[in-house]
Amino acid sequence: MRALAVFRKALREQLRELWLLALLLSLAPFFVVLFAVVFGAGGWSYRVVLVDHDEGALLADGRPLRAGADLAGAIAEVKNAAGSKPLRVVPAATHDEARAMLESGKAHALVEIPQGFSKALVAPPPAGASRPQLVYMGDMTSTSYMVAAVLAITAVSGYLEQAAGVRYPVELVEKPLGGSGGRSELDLALPGLFVFAVMLLIFPVAMALAREGESGTLRRLQLSRVTSFDLLAGLSLVQVLVGTAAVLLAYAAAVATGFRSQGPLWAGILVCVVATFSVIGVGLLVACFSRSVTEAFVLGNFPLMLLMFFSGAMIPIPKTPLFTLGSVTVGLWDWLPTSHAVSAMNKILGIGLGAGDCLYELVSLLLLSAAYFAAGVWLFRRRRLCAA
Amino acid sequence: MSAAEPIPHPPGAALCAEGLCKRFGGLVAVDGLSLQVRSGEIFGLLGPNGAGKTTAIGMMTGLLRPDAGRTTILGMPVDAGDDGVRSRVGVCPQQIVIWPRLTCMEQLVFMGEAYDVPRGIAARRADELLSALGLQEKRDRLARTLSGGMQRRLSIALALVHEPDVVVLDEPEAGLDPQSRVLVREYVASLARGRGKTILFTTHNMDEAERVTDRVAIVDRGKLLELDTPDALRRRVGGGDTLELALSQDGKILSEESIRGLREALPGAQVDARGLVLRRRAIVEELPAILDLVRRLGLAAGRVQLRESTLEDVFLALTGRSLRE
């Protein structure tokens, strides 16, 4: 009854704080659209700058062979499992020009076809003789280079097998994990953004409670029969609703920009709702140390940044393994509940795995969310709801 | 006094504070304050700024944990945070405490529900309170759009919506215009006189205290200085009559020597560079002698005011005239 009254009151206040509500509901969809624009709904495009020094050669039947140009075409035609072409070939006249493009970030990888490429295919050099070198170049620390290089090497390998008439003793077969084969990079990037929608709830939680403290209404509630449970349950319920609405809006924006979920939406919502409780816990902790709404807003940015960047919601974060527990590798950022939420969302909505395949993430999310929420409630009660 | 020890609660007392002490760092805010508020009376807690009134109220209502001492309200200990006590006490803090983004009606109903008052009953009481405090027309307006005086009245209404037996008001008339002051004063008085509520309020406004209270306690520096009816205090401490005499010396303010001379000749008089204030019973009979003394000291008498002592005279006699903040 009292919790319901607090819920009604908090909901009214939330609905009347339009700028904050608009921010909460629109920021994640905005980023979804932004990602779609930046990545393109069809997936990533890796730029390969290509320098073709090949002079060509004549085949035995007298026909000309332009293997360099053919290889460039083969690289451009590489398809991923979704059927889209992830490589864009950008020609360059000289090595220096191509290198400059690589250094300026205009290309992810450089492929340099040697002068005698066609000749080597027509008449392969004898064993022991020097061979023309087809050179790959790129920033070894860049994942974009690695992806571009692997795709280009696959194309080169396939072309050489066909052109040289060589048959490898084994066939190389790539199999996608879950539904990842048909996924674009955008599809894989978006589930993390749904968790980001929930992370923003740090602000309304911290600001609402800081406002109650600043205006003295928290004291008024302390004097009434409203318990800590009533207050925090009513407030949390509002945030769960707002969070769910934000996730649904982000999802709708994602679908509108071409996102195809591989798992059921309800499972994603469930993960986000559980994550909401951890975010509410963080919001409570922020409120404990905020004497005003402004302080809550400023302080709230620190945990938001931490959650946003180190849980991989905005950009993929490599899992830095700390130790292994049975079959589970525990990473550096696994103490963040949202890390598990993002990972679970990627697995469920991104590549269509079932609950059994993300048991570690789900259990960790559940336990960590409970721990964060409990810590927030405990400290808030101690610092703000007990008699001074 | 240990927590398990039963607290004596005199019959007829609505609120009983015993030996309340509170220290904030090196500052002793309340120092052994004991008082009883009788059921159905209007009790004023008076004191200068920083005297410890709000801290005392905080301890009496359970918002502050006393370093020592206890309070019982209607026989129930306050420090236990018992729901029974909470339901029977209404507190209006010193500052305006409202929810700016709720309408007057919404927040009154919410406050009622916070005390487990059924929604329908809370709504009816809210309407009554809004009418009684002149806010009926603002019923559905967001509280943040109200004027300061209206917000103050709403803040008072929030303390009353659950029909408490004991109402604690911390400076309820602060920031109100004269019309609102009268409205609030009359409403608060009606709660006690007509409905048997016990009212404890703090104020700086001696006129308000004198008009409304049955008894007053004067506190300063955390200690209880006097507790009695306003009439008794006027007679006992105020001395019955007050003489205010403006003085000058060669057209200027009084010298230190003259001030000393007046203080020695008139024990109990408050003397400063502009004149003196003297409280005595039947002071009119002493007036010729006082004027003679003034002449002998070479001073010129200005405006003379002779009147019955007020509670303000009592207050100033007990707490002095120097500024506290």
Side-chain angles (χ1 to χ4, degrees), chain A residues 2 8 16 212 220 388, chain B residues 65 101 106 113 116 155:
Chain A
R2 290 188 297 258
R8 272 197 299 263
R16 286 168 188 165
E212 297 275 6
R220 208 185 255 297
Chain B
R65 190 178 294 122
R101 287 182 177 79
E106 283 168 354
E113 288 181 294
D116 286 345
S155 186

Side-chain angles (χ1 to χ4, degrees), chain A residues 150-181:
Chain A
V150 165
L151 290 168
I153 287 171
T154 306
V156 170
S157 176
Y159 177 77
L160 289 177
E161 192 180 9
Q162 180 208 341
V166 181
R167 182 179 163 84
Y168 290 155
V170 291
E171 190 181 358
L172 303 178
V173 179
E174 186 185 31
K175 287 193 172 177
L177 179 64
S180 63

Side-chain angles (χ1 to χ4, degrees), chain A residues 19-79:
Chain A
W19 69 269
L20 184 60
L21 189 64
L23 185 82
L24 293 172
L25 295 179
S26 66
L27 209 55
F30 168 74
F31 274 108
V32 167
V33 173
L34 203 65
F35 271 42
V37 169
V38 171
F39 297 150
W44 287 85
S45 178
Y46 297 98
R47 288 179 298 282
V48 176
V49 58
L50 192 132
V51 190
D52 185 6
H53 297 293
D54 184 34
E55 291 174 333
L58 288 175
L59 293 167
D61 58 7
R63 282 184 294 118
L65 172 66
R66 305 290 302 177
D70 294 346
L71 178 60
I75 293 173
E77 287 303 310
V78 167
K79 288 182 180 170

